[in-house]
Amino acid sequence: MASQSDHKAAIIDGKAIAQTIRNEIAEEVRHLSQKYGKVPGLAVVIVGTRKDSQSYVSMKRKACAEVGIKSVDIDLPENVSQDDLIAKVHELNATSDVHGILVQLPLPNHINEEKVLSEISIEKDVDGFHPLNIGKLAMKGREPLFLPCTPKARLEFCIQTQIDADAHTCTILSNEEPLLSKQYSHKIVKAIHVQGCIELLSRSGISIKGKKAVVVGRSNIVGLPVSLLLLKADATVTVVHSRTPDPESFIREADIIIAAAGQAMMIKGSWIKPGAAVIDVGTNAIDDLSRKSGYRLVGDVDFQEACKVAGWVTPVPGGVGPMTVAMLLKNTLDGAKHAIAQ
Amino acid sequence: MASQSDHKAAIIDGKAIAQTIRNEIAEEVRHLSQKYGKVPGLAVVIVGTRKDSQSYVSMKRKACAEVGIKSVDIDLPENVSQDDLIAKVHELNATSDVHGILVQLPLPNHINEEKVLSEISIEKDVDGFHPLNIGKLAMKGREPLFLPCTPKARLEFCIQTQIDADAHTCTILSNEEPLLSKQYSHKIVKAIHVQGCIELLSRSGISIKGKKAVVVGRSNIVGLPVSLLLLKADATVTVVHSRTPDPESFIREADIIIAAAGQAMMIKGSWIKPGAAVIDVGTNAIDDLSRKSGYRLVGDVDFQEACKVAGWVTPVPGGVGPMTVAMLLKNTLDGAKHAIAQ
């Protein structure tokens, strides 16, 4: 049985790869400012004083500083009106040294998040929220300006998969702190980790072309966009989901598995084809009384079992997660390069 | 062997179903004008005097008349400037009794088709070209205002699949007249037949939920959007394409096959699971010296063989093809209903 073999999968170290990417970005930013005297700018807009949002935003701002991206900090009061917030977005759209705009979610209940996000100029939509970006992503021959990123979207990812998967249990996480899903009723259409997934594959030397890829989960934020990207990369793609009668039967055939169902350790070692590449996008908190936090994070894949069968596997945490901020920075850099090229 | 059985697949008569739909539309149009004094309006814009375009446009205008939709005819000279054409589109966007806008393709070489099409207001984008519509199509929880339709897009479909499938031979057709693909270098991003495919399934009483669906071809105009729709309808969807090493192995497993590869009779009876529903979107002209035209039209499926194995199969011509004008009319009607509801 697979789980009894001595095989050890190569563990894809998302943290290390993300750091490599950040270093590359820092190098490019240096080059840009030397050659053109321009520094990429990311505007990070935060409304109110939610602790988790604050911690995200400071994390993102730190990350910008680390690579030399100028972060433009916009802190608005909890009671800011939607109109004023949108006016601020328009102002940032028009600001030439801002190349990326990030509006930290969730926004207060009196604000329509979808409306606000759709006001972000597509050129500066570094999170890839914009329907037009998703649309372009879906269409061959039209490259989206950005592929979706942003860690916070894991929230919507969980919510989305909960909605998709009905009975699926799924704890909403912000960064690595579990929160109650009730806190998040919003359902922003966006994608996440997608760029990170593909980057992890390519940086691990895993070719996609002609491979059988199975995407587990069909959320707007992971399943759909990642399946479209794999298709663009010439994989034969199957999307399985909560309505698939026998998911194992598909997963067992896959050379590449993207697990994005939001269900803790649903994918067993016996479901994995020996040598397959397993990218685990799931992040679920399960009880663990041995921890003082009382929980630990696990993916949608049984990591221990997967290690004995798969060719490559991403850990949770430390796999896809760390890639997202790196992708956000990369999108901001690309936005600046795009602007300079104009 | 399947091909030796006496089984007879139910043949899905697209012509008859399309006529039923047209009758339903005519009924609804009558109702709208009686109850609200409003008549749906479709603006059909044609530039120049291409014979094939003219024949399409007159076909569409006749179809409108038949169901009581007012068709607003805009005939522009071959040498119209792009700006003037766009100005006309904007004018139609602003015209309240126009609920659908159709710009007949191809446009003269001095005009950027993509640009022109993207100027059509999304509410009136009855062909579903608009990236925003495709984007919404790709995103659960966001219904596109319209699903793509329009027969002319078969051109782009063929071109697209030719591009996808490299060596695939594919004759470009306008209506049922074969043209040389060289005549069409444009590659508008749009989808086609998609709405018709789903409609044919549902009107034939074929349930999609939980079924294994295989889409053959990944074009923007059929493969991608139809796979997204099937996924929305809870099928487990696999997209195979020209880079799939062993397409049969996937197709043999399918409960529902959508053939959109643009390759004449590539899908053999032996590739089809007994009882499967086969929707053939392909339209290919092959030599037939027994016809005075010297050719006949065939689909991507070997129809004779498929009849002996499949549960349902669409003929070519007379399957998906006739549905598209019906869908165009339906989208125009829906646009009018949408406008009245405002």
Side-chain angles (χ1 to χ4, degrees):
Chain A
M1 213 181 90
S3 59
Q4 279 157 9
S5 82
D6 304 337
H7 171 84
K8 276 260 162 293
I11 293 177
I12 298 175
D13 183 346
K15 238 175 161 148
I17 292 173
Q19 189 53 56
T20 306
I21 293 168
R22 288 178 183 220
N23 298 343
E24 293 169 1
I25 292 168
E27 182 49 44
E28 279 207 70
V29 169
R30 247 193 313 283
H31 171 77
L32 274 188
S33 56
Q34 281 162 7
K35 186 161 179 199
Y36 301 98
K38 290 218 187 278
V39 175
L42 174 66
V44 181
V45 180
I46 180 168
V47 175
T49 56
R50 291 179 55 98
K51 261 186 82 290
D52 58 310
S53 294
Q54 297 273 2
S55 72
Y56 266 123
V57 165
S58 60
M59 179 181 71
K60 289 166 183 170
R61 288 169 178 171
K62 249 182 65 248
C64 284
E66 181 198 315
V67 298
I69 288 176
K70 175 170 162 245
S71 91
V72 179
D73 306 348
I74 313 289
D75 295 44
L76 298 170
E78 183 78 19
N79 62 3
V80 67
S81 74
Q82 176 168 312
D83 290 351
D84 291 352
L85 176 54
I86 287 174
K88 176 54 73 175
V89 166
H90 290 166
E91 185 189 318
L92 293 168
N93 285 344
T95 307
S96 64
D97 60 354
V98 167
H99 306 100
I101 300 170
L102 179 90
V103 176
Q104 185 62 48
L105 301 179
L107 294 169
N109 293 334
H110 67 281
I111 294 175
N112 177 338
E113 293 177 332
E114 227 176 280
K115 176 85 181 77
V116 171
L117 294 178
S118 68
E119 292 294 324
I120 297 172
S121 143
I122 186 166
E123 290 78 20
K124 303 188 178 188
D125 177 26
V126 281
D127 270 342
F129 291 151
H130 199 296
L132 204 53
N133 252 338
I134 302 281
K136 291 182 174 184
L137 179 62
M139 300 187 290
K140 266 200 308 304
R142 282 213 186 181
E143 290 307 320
L145 286 171
F146 302 110
L147 301 182
C149 64
T150 177
K152 194 65 168 56
R154 189 182 307 149
L155 286 169
E156 286 70 37
F157 161 51
C158 290
I159 291 166
Q160 185 67 52
T161 47
Q162 233 175 355
I163 286 158
D164 289 353
D166 304 311
H168 285 183
T169 61
C170 172
T171 304
I172 304 302
L173 304 173
S174 79
N175 205 0
E176 305 303 1
E177 298 301 318
L179 302 169
L180 292 177
S181 63
K182 329 184 170 40
Q183 292 180 23
Y184 300 96
S185 58
H186 56 78
K187 242 185 70 194
I188 295 304
V189 173
K190 61 187 175 182
I192 192 253
H193 288 321
V194 169
Q195 208 171 352
C197 294
I198 303 296
E199 194 79 22
L200 285 177
L201 287 170
S202 60
R203 298 228 175 205
S204 306
I206 299 158
S207 75
I208 298 173
K209 185 169 185 166
K211 297 286 180 67
K212 292 186 193 180
V214 170
V215 177
V216 186
R218 55 178 166 174
S219 68
N220 298 323
I221 36 189
V222 183
L224 279 182
V226 83
S227 59
L228 292 169
L229 283 183
L230 290 166
L231 201 52
K232 269 177 180 247
D234 288 334
T236 301
V237 179
T238 301
V239 179
V240 308
H241 47 78
S242 56
R243 294 274 176 277
T244 300
D246 179 19
E248 306 90 297
S249 63
F250 296 92
I251 295 167
R252 270 198 214 95
E253 300 296 316
D255 305 308
I256 296 170
I257 299 167
I258 309 286
Q263 203 175 19
M265 301 196 285
M266 76 172 270
I267 298 176
K268 307 296 170 199
S270 60
W271 296 19
I272 298 168
K273 177 170 155 183
V278 181
I279 305 293
D280 191 349
V281 187
T283 311
N284 315 282
I286 59 170
D287 295 342
D288 182 346
L289 299 177
S290 74
R291 309 262 182 119
K292 73 176 199 306
S293 65
Y295 72 92
R296 67 191 163 91
L297 298 174
V298 298
D300 292 350
V301 176
D302 186 317
F303 182 72
Q304 297 311 329
E305 288 185 20
C307 283
K308 298 180 180 147
V309 193
W312 298 264
V313 59
T314 62
V316 175
V320 176
M323 294 292 288
T324 51
V325 174
M327 293 298 110
L328 177 68
L329 299 172
K330 187 171 182 307
N331 285 349
T332 305
L333 171 63
D334 292 346
K337 285 156 81 179
H338 187 258
I340 290 167
Q342 297 302 300
Chain B
M1 215 181 88
S3 59
Q4 279 156 9
S5 81
D6 304 337
H7 171 84
K8 276 261 162 293
I11 292 176
I12 297 176
D13 183 346
K15 238 175 161 149
I17 292 173
Q19 189 53 57
T20 306
I21 293 168
R22 288 180 184 218
N23 297 343
E24 293 169 1
I25 292 167
E27 183 49 45
E28 277 207 70
V29 170
R30 247 192 313 282
H31 171 76
L32 273 188
S33 56
Q34 281 161 10
K35 186 162 178 200
Y36 302 96
K38 290 216 189 281
V39 175
L42 174 65
V44 181
V45 180
I46 180 168
V47 174
T49 56
R50 292 178 57 96
K51 259 186 82 292
D52 58 309
S53 294
Q54 298 272 4
S55 72
Y56 269 123
V57 165
S58 58
M59 179 180 71
K60 288 166 184 171
R61 288 168 179 171
K62 247 182 67 247
C64 284
E66 180 198 314
V67 298
I69 288 177
K70 176 171 161 245
S71 91
V72 179
D73 306 348
I74 312 289
D75 296 43
L76 299 170
E78 183 78 21
N79 62 3
V80 68
S81 74
Q82 176 168 312
D83 290 352
D84 291 351
L85 176 54
I86 288 174
K88 175 53 75 176
V89 167
H90 289 166
E91 184 189 319
L92 294 168
N93 286 343
T95 307
S96 64
D97 60 353
V98 167
H99 306 101
I101 301 170
L102 179 90
V103 176
Q104 185 62 49
L105 301 178
L107 293 170
N109 293 333
H110 67 280
I111 294 175
N112 176 338
E113 293 176 332
E114 229 177 279
K115 176 85 181 76
V116 171
L117 294 177
S118 67
E119 292 295 324
I120 298 173
S121 143
I122 186 167
E123 290 77 20
K124 303 188 178 187
D125 176 27
V126 282
D127 270 342
F129 292 151
H130 199 296
L132 204 53
N133 252 339
I134 302 282
K136 291 180 175 187
L137 181 62
M139 300 187 291
K140 265 199 308 305
R142 284 212 186 183
E143 291 307 319
L145 286 172
F146 301 111
L147 300 182
C149 64
T150 177
K152 195 63 168 58
R154 188 183 306 150
L155 286 168
E156 286 71 36
F157 160 51
C158 290
I159 292 168
Q160 185 67 52
T161 47
Q162 234 175 355
I163 287 159
D164 289 352
D166 304 311
H168 287 184
T169 60
C170 170
T171 303
I172 305 301
L173 303 173
S174 77
N175 208 357
E176 305 302 4
E177 298 300 320
L179 302 170
L180 291 179
S181 62
K182 334 186 169 35
Q183 294 181 22
Y184 300 96
S185 57
H186 57 80
K187 241 186 68 192
I188 294 303
V189 173
K190 61 187 174 182
I192 191 249
H193 290 319
V194 169
Q195 209 172 349
C197 294
I198 303 295
E199 194 79 22
L200 284 178
L201 287 170
S202 60
R203 296 223 176 210
S204 306
I206 298 157
S207 74
I208 298 173
K209 184 168 186 166
K211 298 287 180 66
K212 291 187 194 180
V214 171
V215 176
V216 186
R218 55 178 165 173
S219 68
N220 298 323
I221 36 187
V222 183
L224 278 182
V226 84
S227 59
L228 292 169
L229 283 182
L230 290 167
L231 200 54
K232 268 177 181 248
D234 289 334
T236 302
V237 180
T238 301
V239 180
V240 308
H241 47 77
S242 56
R243 295 274 175 277
T244 300
D246 178 20
E248 307 90 295
S249 65
F250 295 94
I251 295 167
R252 270 197 214 93
E253 300 296 317
D255 305 308
I256 297 169
I257 299 166
I258 309 286
Q263 203 175 19
M265 302 196 286
M266 75 172 270
I267 298 176
K268 307 296 171 199
S270 59
W271 297 20
I272 298 168
K273 179 170 152 183
V278 182
I279 305 294
D280 191 349
V281 188
T283 311
N284 315 282
I286 60 170
D287 294 342
D288 182 346
L289 299 178
S290 73
R291 309 262 183 122
K292 73 177 199 307
S293 65
Y295 71 92
R296 67 191 163 94
L297 298 175
V298 297
D300 292 349
V301 176
D302 186 318
F303 183 74
Q304 296 310 329
E305 288 185 19
C307 283
K308 298 180 181 146
V309 193
W312 297 264
V313 59
T314 61
V316 174
V320 177
M323 294 292 288
T324 52
V325 174
M327 294 297 111
L328 177 68
L329 299 173
K330 187 171 183 307
N331 285 349
T332 304
L333 170 63
D334 292 346
K337 285 157 79 180
H338 187 257
I340 289 167
Q342 296 302 301

